[in-house]
Amino acid sequence: MDEPEAGDAHLRETRVGGEVLLSGGFLEVRRDVVRLPDGRQATREYIEHRGAVAVVPLLDDGPDPRLVLVRQWRHPLGRVLLEWPAGKREGDEPTLACAIRELAEETGYTAREWACGGFLHNAAAYSSERIWIWFARGLEPGPARPDDGEFVETVTLRQHELEALDAAGSLTDVKTLVGLHWLQGWQRGLRPLTFAGAGIASGLP
């Protein structure tokens, strides 16, 4: 759980008890009892998650690069979503190691250079999960190696095609929307990215 910012005491909730309702393979469902800023108590039910990584893979540079994405069935929604290659961290796995592994497993691509864009809280009202977004370029193709029971389809789109899907309301995955937004910000000089080889970039979170 993140540490609260200084000066937020008038908003802070303090955990005073709780229980684990469900412990699964990579997440826990918890119910905490918290003391509110006014002294009353309340319960908070949420998912404890170790975090995940998404990769924005650039096949070429320029104002309208080709991008590598995947199409995957999402059971809670009952539909296929178009997304960046992504996956959950294994234990305390460094986020770059996770990004390299997931890109190779889901698409077969490896990358010469990496840049960390930052992280997002994708469901702060009910989950501790954060997703780090890494950008990859200098891609080399190879055979995909999805996990057992994982079925994904690799697709490539020009950036303008992905932007058209966004404009039409057809792009709904939050990490993919944020990754596209950050890519546009980098291209406009509004969001700096520092690309480096995997050995140098590995010192990041």
Side-chain angles (χ1 to χ4, degrees):
M1 189 173 292
D2 293 341
E3 290 298 321
E5 297 287 341
D8 287 345
H10 62 297
L11 300 173
R12 187 175 305 166
E13 298 178 358
T14 304
R15 183 181 184 277
V16 295
E19 59 182 328
V20 175
L21 302 178
L22 172 68
S23 183
F26 66 95
L27 57 81
E28 289 184 344
V29 180
R30 298 182 178 183
R31 179 187 291 128
D32 283 357
V33 180
V34 300
R35 184 170 60 250
L36 301 175
D38 64 3
R40 293 180 297 162
Q41 288 191 354
T43 59
R44 299 285 183 256
E45 294 176 352
Y46 65 99
I47 298 168
E48 184 71 21
H49 192 290
R50 67 179 63 128
V53 167
V55 182
V56 180
L58 308 173
L59 270 171
D60 48 37
D61 294 323
D64 191 23
R66 290 179 299 148
L67 308 170
V68 180
L69 298 104
V70 296
R71 299 179 69 248
Q72 186 171 6
W73 178 263
R74 292 303 188 183
H75 180 74
L77 304 181
R79 57 171 292 192
V80 170
L81 290 187
L82 180 68
E83 310 173 26
W84 301 122
K88 60 184 179 294
R89 298 170 69 197
E90 295 182 352
D92 294 327
E93 180 182 32
T95 63
L96 176 57
C98 181
I100 292 171
R101 176 174 53 77
E102 289 293 340
L103 179 63
E105 287 179 356
E106 293 194 352
T107 72
Y109 281 99
T110 57
R112 184 177 64 252
E113 293 183 307
W114 293 85
C116 186
F119 69 87
L120 60 97
H121 294 108
N122 57 305
Y126 59 85
S127 176
S128 67
E129 181 181 9
R130 64 173 68 180
I131 300 176
W132 284 263
I133 297 182
W134 280 87
F135 291 75
R137 68 184 185 186
L139 301 184
E140 293 291 338
R145 303 183 302 275
D147 291 334
D148 184 41
E150 183 180 35
F151 299 89
V152 297
E153 177 184 56
T154 302
V155 298
T156 59
L157 295 174
R158 286 287 180 184
Q159 184 174 331
H160 80 272
E161 295 175 308
L162 191 62
E163 291 170 341
L165 291 174
D166 178 24
S170 300
L171 191 67
T172 61
D173 178 63
V174 64
K175 64 183 178 295
T176 306
L177 290 165
V178 171
L180 175 60
H181 175 65
W182 289 359
L183 173 61
Q184 294 166 331
W186 171 59
Q187 292 168 332
R188 296 168 184 163
L190 302 176
R191 190 177 186 93
L193 291 176
T194 303
F195 283 89
I200 298 173
S202 63
L204 295 170

